[in-house]
Amino acid sequence: MPCDTASRKQRAINLEWLCSFLAAHPDVEAKQMTTLQVMQDIIKTETATQRFRYVDLMRAAGGADAAAVSAGRPMYFISHGWARPFMELVGMLTKHFSEEAQSVWRRGQGVLQLSEVFVWIDIFAMDQHRDEVTKAELQQLKEIIADAEKTLMVMDQVFIELDVARAKATAQSDLDRILADIEADVGVLQMSHDLKEALVASGLNEVPVGEGIPDSVTACAALLKAGLMCNLRGRLDEAEPLLRRALAGCEKVLGAEHQNTLTCVGHLAVLLKAQGKLVEAVPLLRRALAFYEKDLGPEDPNTLTCVGNLAELLQAQGQLVEAEPLLRRALSGQEKVLGAEHQSTLANVGNLARLLKERGNMVEAEPLFRRAVAGFEKLLGAEHPSTLTSIGNLGEALLMIDQGKGMGETEPLLRRALVGKEKVLGADHLNTLNSVVTLAYLLRHQGKLVEAEPLYRRALAGFEKLLGAEHLSTLGSVNNLAFMLVAKGELGESESLLRRVLAGREKVLGVEHRDTVSSINQLAHHLQAQGKLSQSELLFQRMLTGKEKALGMKHPDTLNSVTRLANVLKAQGKLDEAAPLFRLALAGFEKSLGAEHLSTLNSANNLACMLVAQVERGEAESLFRRVLAGREKVMGVEHRDTVRIVNQLALNLHAQGNMGESELLFRRALAGQEKASGAEHPDTLNNVAFLANVLQAQGKLGESEKLRRHLLVGREKVLGKEHPITLLAMVKLASLLQEQGEHGEAEPLFQRALAGQEKVLGAEHPDMLNSAALMSNLLQDQGKLDESENLRRHVLAGREKVLGVEHPHTLLAIVKLALVLQEQGKLGEAEPLFRRALAGREKLLGAEHPDTLATFGHLASLPEALGKCDEASQLRSLTALT
């Protein structure tokens, strides 16, 4: 049939006929056919002989069918998804044009009957037998959209993922032309954002005027829709009052136990969870669960879904003990009611696996992760998003199960998940971006920082594009990139990113939200690591003040903030201020949680470390022994935290001169870790390093050398030859060989380590600079003073750039450079460096700190050599007084 302009307005169909179409084709509902399947299996089949538009078939049939086709009357252009169920499209349209809904959005215009509502839907209005739409038809399509009274977009609820660039059309050439026009006009990205904002605005426009409780089902539905849209868009503060009004209205109009009321309860609980208001969210889900159990029974699918949702909320609260039996109940019920291979059952298999992983029960978690992968592959196919997500979850689990042996299987799984999601969902889909983050985390853990960084940056750019700069997922991605840069030693950019995260979370979540507090803590620690201790102290003090105000001084979270503040005071050398805070925290934990609680034992350990810094090793020893006994009782003698205390006690005994017991404890720790985890586990190798250190400190250099060689071989095997931790083991072995006078073997090891660190970490990374400082010591010992000087200048320049001019490590680099210049006889260059270091240490550490006094002594040795006899005499006198 000709495609003339006059007929373009005469191809819409009314909603009454569309409902009868569904009744005449029951398979559409029974098989949940998508719009694409309806077009292929019904529309094309029924017009196969004539090969024309379906509306032409209706006209030819006459009667009611012909009357249902528009004769130029006002119509609505329908934009829809081809992959969604066709029943969903019709259901949304009939709901939109219901009498109650029209009373809201067609205020004062009267109510249209379904027979008066004409909708232009492409599967009926266009010839589906053409392989490609002509340019003339494309132009007519634009004119139809312009002629329409309104364009209605039929969206699923995950509208937040809307991306114009990923739109679908019958013919690819049509899509290419449409996208080109959009890009030339406003831009594809801008249109995606504009559409999302327009959808939210549309939802808000339907909200009843005022702030009172609504008195109709339609008004409640409008509030619920607007609230959900704001929630999905990340506008949480706007969403909360909308959902609360929807709930209050449903309770008023329908009653507290109505299904729609319980739906509102569930959505409000999800929002509160996203806001971090977990304490308020849990009672809502408990209320919903009680009604479902009463009205529907304990094994109804809706009841089981609510059980699972409550378990996830409790898991987010950290209440894993209560959450686990709920998840097991949900899974058991779904296996019984829906079957072991049902999609909902498999989803809960994955949920239970993740909870068990969080509880450390990897023995049970791993087979559940594998069952989910196998089940989704069988049910949905290897490339379905649920399958790919389960593959990614298995990869994350293997990473946690064994960071040594698991690597071989983990990386291919994570790469497979990412490639599959890119193919099926697109490069910028939320699920794809989450897989990008997971792979980046693995690569960072493997020390492949150069490969990991662009993945983190890609994820951040994707979240910003899709969700906006202030969305919580975007801020989480900013946080990930910040930690990546910390690992690379790029502290300047990482600090600005952490500040951005803090500002964003303060704005979106509020200053007292736990994630905001976590950001304060992270930034404070970062500033502390950079030597910006006063700024760090202010942040920790702010966090403590907020916790004390909100929770009281006796609350465990407040006591944790006391501990953090004490730690930064300790790092600044303010030991007299830090010690009372450590004691306050310990007393608080003992009173609120008991003497054997893990938090109490951790606090005792913190105080013991404080006492070590104050050289009060006797009291420190008794505390270490108390912590060790407590952890042995609560966690077992082979737990890694118990082993860690064994090591700390051993170090303290070593410092007290108790070499025999110290060495025995280090050997006990190594034997226990080796038994628990195997000889090549990273934790076992860490204990090899501890024992090698104490043996080297005792002068048992031969045995220490054997352990360091064993350690290097193990690190190379488990982590790879270029992993930063492997390279650090190489540096330690080279330093030991230097101490033994084996300069010939030590120097090439240093060179190899430096080359690897520069390649993997960059020339200005702190680890790289530390290794360069150690090698410059070797060169100075060998009398290669010019080479040593060059390396020391590189170290100083790098530390000034990365750490700042007043950082303790920077001041040490100044002293080391001055010493090599002094040895070369370049006294005129050495003197101002000593003076600069002295001024910096006096300011940072105080005039009586040992490092300050040592610098003073170096400076005192210079004036006489420079012919400044009076100054030399004065400095010698001051040195004698100190």
Side-chain angles (χ1 to χ4, degrees):
M1 184 161 287
C3 185
D4 58 292
T5 303
S7 68
R8 69 171 184 259
K9 293 184 181 180
Q10 300 174 9
R11 302 183 212 158
I13 53 177
N14 70 41
L15 275 185
E16 187 176 57
W17 178 88
L18 190 58
C19 293
S20 69
F21 174 85
L22 288 179
H25 299 86
D27 278 356
V28 174
E29 181 177 5
K31 297 180 179 180
Q32 285 293 292
M33 295 173 68
T34 66
T35 303
L36 178 62
Q37 289 172 326
V38 170
M39 184 273 288
Q40 292 174 331
D41 297 348
I42 299 176
I43 303 298
K44 291 184 73 171
T45 300
E46 294 185 9
T47 58
T49 303
Q50 301 90 342
R51 298 183 68 82
F52 56 22
R53 295 180 290 257
Y54 198 88
V55 291
D56 297 326
L57 183 68
M58 294 169 62
R59 287 197 189 95
D65 283 352
V69 181
S70 170
R73 285 164 288 197
M75 52 83 177
Y76 295 85
F77 180 84
I78 308 302
S79 175
H80 61 87
W82 286 78
R84 301 295 302 174
F86 188 70
M87 280 291 300
E88 181 180 90
L89 185 154
V90 178
M92 288 184 179
L93 288 175
T94 53
K95 182 178 180 181
H96 183 70
F97 286 98
S98 67
E99 184 173 341
E100 285 186 306
Q102 288 189 62
S103 68
V104 175
W105 64 269
R106 283 179 56 87
R107 295 185 183 100
Q109 300 179 57
V111 175
L112 297 171
Q113 300 302 311
L114 293 186
S115 59
E116 298 176 295
V117 177
F118 287 85
V119 291
W120 201 100
I121 303 177
D122 51 4
I123 65 170
F124 298 103
M126 298 186 72
D127 185 352
Q128 300 302 322
H129 297 281
R130 295 179 182 272
D131 293 328
E132 184 172 316
V133 180
T134 66
K135 187 173 182 179
E137 286 177 316
L138 185 62
Q139 179 60 36
Q140 288 180 24
L141 184 61
K142 293 180 183 178
E143 294 170 357
I144 289 165
I145 295 172
D147 287 340
E149 183 171 324
K150 284 185 179 180
T151 295
L152 301 179
M153 299 187 71
V154 180
M155 311 291 296
D156 65 25
Q157 61 181 320
V158 196
F159 85 102
I160 197 68
E161 298 175 5
L162 185 152
D163 186 352
V164 173
R166 291 172 48 228
K168 298 291 189 293
T170 308
Q172 182 62 38
S173 59
D174 301 340
L175 177 61
D176 292 340
R177 286 197 292 267
I178 293 169
L179 291 179
D181 286 347
I182 293 172
E183 184 61 41
D185 186 11
V186 296
V188 171
L189 175 59
Q190 186 60 46
M191 177 167 278
S192 295
H193 283 295
D194 290 348
L195 283 172
K196 292 174 191 175
E197 290 301 323
L199 287 167
V200 174
S202 174
L204 291 172
N205 187 54
E206 295 182 22
V207 169
V209 178
E211 298 181 359
I213 298 175
D215 54 7
S216 72
V217 173
T218 301
C220 293
L223 285 163
L224 177 61
K225 182 174 74 171
L228 291 176
M229 285 184 169
C230 287
N231 185 13
L232 289 169
R233 192 70 176 128
R235 292 157 62 168
L236 307 185
D237 290 341
E238 292 179 71
E240 184 178 349
L242 293 168
L243 292 181
R244 288 191 184 279
R245 286 180 65 197
L247 174 57
C250 285
E251 289 174 327
K252 177 182 176 181
V253 177
L254 301 172
E257 298 184 5
H258 191 277
Q259 180 71 45
N260 289 359
T261 306
L262 297 178
T263 298
C264 287
V265 168
H267 287 307
L268 179 57
V270 170
L271 172 67
L272 293 170
K273 177 184 175 184
Q275 291 176 301
K277 300 177 181 179
L278 305 182
V279 174
E280 191 176 353
V282 168
L284 288 172
L285 281 183
R286 291 192 191 279
R287 167 189 162 184
L289 178 57
F291 287 136
Y292 281 131
E293 288 179 322
K294 176 184 174 183
D295 293 345
L296 304 177
E299 293 185 346
D300 185 89
N302 291 314
T303 305
L304 296 173
T305 298
C306 192
V307 170
N309 290 338
L310 177 58
E312 289 185 42
L313 187 54
L314 291 169
Q315 184 177 353
Q317 274 190 305
Q319 298 181 29
L320 306 184
V321 174
E322 184 180 358
E324 183 178 334
L326 286 172
L327 269 181
R328 290 188 185 278
R329 171 189 163 187
L331 176 58
S332 175
Q334 287 174 328
E335 287 176 328
K336 180 179 179 181
V337 174
L338 302 175
E341 296 183 349
H342 190 277
Q343 189 169 347
S344 297
T345 306
L346 294 173
N348 258 331
V349 168
N351 291 337
L352 178 58
R354 284 192 295 276
L355 182 138
L356 292 170
K357 182 182 80 168
E358 191 172 348
R359 295 201 69 186
N361 185 356
M362 302 309 298
V363 174
E364 190 176 356
E366 182 184 353
L368 287 173
F369 279 121
R370 295 189 184 278
R371 172 185 165 187
V373 171
F376 280 124
E377 280 186 323
K378 180 180 178 181
L379 184 67
L380 304 173
E383 293 186 344
H384 190 277
S386 296
T387 306
L388 298 170
T389 297
S390 66
I391 290 170
N393 291 336
L394 174 59
E396 291 180 48
L398 292 174
L399 174 60
M400 181 176 175
I401 289 169
D402 190 329
Q403 295 176 347
K405 294 182 291 184
M407 293 295 185
E409 187 177 0
T410 302
E411 187 173 341
L413 279 172
L414 294 182
R415 291 190 182 278
R416 174 187 166 189
L418 176 56
V419 170
K421 288 181 181 180
E422 287 175 328
K423 178 180 178 182
V424 175
L425 301 174
D428 291 332
H429 192 280
L430 279 177
N431 285 346
T432 306
L433 295 175
N434 288 332
S435 285
V436 170
V437 171
T438 304
L439 177 59
Y441 171 80
L442 171 65
L443 294 170
R444 188 185 91 187
H445 182 84
Q446 291 176 311
K448 300 175 181 178
L449 305 184
V450 174
E451 190 176 353
E453 182 180 351
L455 288 174
Y456 277 122
R457 292 192 184 276
R458 170 188 164 186
L460 175 55
F463 284 124
E464 287 177 326
K465 172 185 174 183
L466 197 59
L467 303 174
E470 293 183 347
H471 193 280
L472 292 177
S473 295
T474 305
L475 295 175
S477 190
V478 174
N479 215 43
N480 290 333
L481 177 58
F483 281 113
M484 169 73 243
L485 294 172
V486 168
K488 288 189 69 181
E490 297 177 12
L491 304 184
E493 185 181 359
S494 58
E495 180 183 335
S496 66
L497 290 172
L498 289 175
R499 290 188 184 278
R500 173 184 167 186
V501 175
L502 175 57
R505 286 177 173 170
E506 284 178 329
K507 180 177 179 181
V508 176
L509 300 172
V511 295
E512 295 182 356
H513 190 279
R514 62 176 185 174
D515 288 346
T516 306
V517 172
S518 175
S519 285
I520 294 172
N521 185 42
Q522 289 166 353
L523 178 57
H525 279 299
H526 187 69
L527 293 169
Q528 184 176 343
Q530 292 183 80
K532 299 178 181 179
L533 302 182
S534 59
Q535 294 182 50
S536 178
E537 180 184 341
L538 289 174
L539 281 173
F540 280 127
Q541 183 65 62
R542 170 189 163 189
M543 185 164 61
L544 174 57
T545 301
K547 288 288 188 182
E548 187 175 1
K549 179 182 177 182
L551 304 172
M553 182 52 74
K554 296 179 181 180
H555 194 280
D557 286 352
T558 308
L559 296 173
N560 285 328
S561 294
V562 170
T563 301
R564 295 185 182 105
L565 177 59
N567 278 323
V568 77
L569 291 170
K570 173 187 167 188
Q572 292 180 82
K574 299 178 180 180
L575 305 185
D576 291 339
E577 294 181 53
L581 291 176
F582 280 121
R583 292 187 187 278
L584 173 65
L586 176 56
F589 281 122
E590 287 176 328
K591 184 174 181 180
S592 62
L593 301 176
E596 293 185 348
H597 192 279
L598 289 178
S599 294
T600 306
L601 296 174
N602 291 338
S603 188
N605 185 56
N606 290 330
L607 177 57
C609 293
M610 172 73 238
L611 293 168
V612 168
Q614 289 183 302
V615 202
E616 298 179 15
R617 296 191 179 275
E619 186 181 357
E621 179 185 340
S622 64
L623 281 170
F624 279 133
R625 291 189 186 278
R626 170 188 165 184
V627 176
L628 176 58
R631 286 190 173 167
E632 286 176 330
K633 180 178 179 181
V634 175
M635 310 177 83
V637 295
E638 293 179 353
H639 192 279
R640 61 181 180 179
D641 288 341
T642 306
V643 170
R644 190 175 293 116
I645 292 300
V646 170
N647 286 326
Q648 289 178 321
L649 176 58
L651 286 168
N652 190 58
L653 292 170
H654 171 64
Q656 291 176 282
N658 187 347
M659 299 296 180
E661 188 178 2
S662 173
E663 184 179 332
L664 288 174
L665 285 170
F666 276 122
R667 293 188 185 280
R668 169 192 159 181
L670 176 57
Q673 191 65 56
E674 196 168 16
K675 179 181 177 183
S677 306
E680 293 179 349
H681 191 277
D683 288 345
T684 305
L685 295 175
N686 289 340
N687 277 285
V688 171
F690 288 138
L691 181 56
N693 288 339
V694 78
L695 290 171
Q696 184 173 349
Q698 292 181 76
K700 298 181 179 180
L701 303 185
E703 189 176 359
S704 179
E705 180 185 340
K706 290 179 182 178
L707 286 173
R708 293 208 181 279
R709 291 187 185 279
H710 168 73
L711 177 64
L712 179 56
V713 171
R715 298 284 199 212
E716 287 179 331
K717 182 177 180 181
V718 173
L719 300 175
K721 293 186 177 182
E722 292 187 343
H723 193 283
I725 296 177
T726 304
L727 298 171
L728 181 60
M730 195 178 299
V731 169
K732 292 284 190 179
L733 175 57
S735 295
L736 175 60
L737 293 170
Q738 178 188 352
E739 187 177 348
Q740 292 176 291
E742 299 176 19
H743 295 168
E745 187 178 358
E747 185 173 348
L749 276 175
F750 270 128
Q751 290 173 337
R752 178 182 158 195
L754 281 171
Q757 288 175 326
E758 185 169 8
K759 176 183 176 182
V760 175
L761 302 173
E764 294 174 348
H765 190 279
D767 287 354
M768 166 69 183
L769 296 174
N770 291 342
S771 298
L774 290 171
M775 184 170 181
S776 63
N777 292 339
L778 173 65
L779 294 170
Q780 190 169 350
D781 288 347
Q782 291 177 297
K784 300 177 180 179
L785 301 183
D786 290 341
E787 293 180 54
S788 178
E789 177 190 342
N790 291 335
L791 209 49
R792 291 204 187 280
R793 290 189 185 278
H794 170 73
V795 172
L796 175 56
R799 286 182 175 169
E800 285 177 328
K801 180 177 179 180
V802 174
L803 302 175
V805 295
E806 294 184 347
H807 192 281
H809 292 172
T810 305
L811 298 175
L812 176 62
I814 293 171
V815 171
K816 291 288 189 179
L817 175 58
L819 287 171
V820 78
L821 290 170
Q822 182 180 9
E823 189 173 347
Q824 290 174 291
K826 300 177 181 179
L827 306 185
E829 294 182 60
E831 182 184 9
L833 289 171
F834 279 130
R835 291 188 185 279
R836 177 184 163 191
L838 178 60
R841 284 179 165 174
E842 283 180 331
K843 178 180 177 181
L844 189 66
L845 304 173
E848 296 184 358
H849 191 280
D851 289 347
T852 306
L853 296 175
T855 310
F856 194 81
H858 292 314
L859 181 60
S861 67
L862 282 182
E864 188 169 357
L866 290 166
K868 301 177 182 180
C869 298
D870 292 340
E871 186 177 353
S873 177
Q874 184 181 4
L875 286 170
R876 279 196 299 273
S877 299
L878 289 172
T879 304
L881 288 173
T882 57

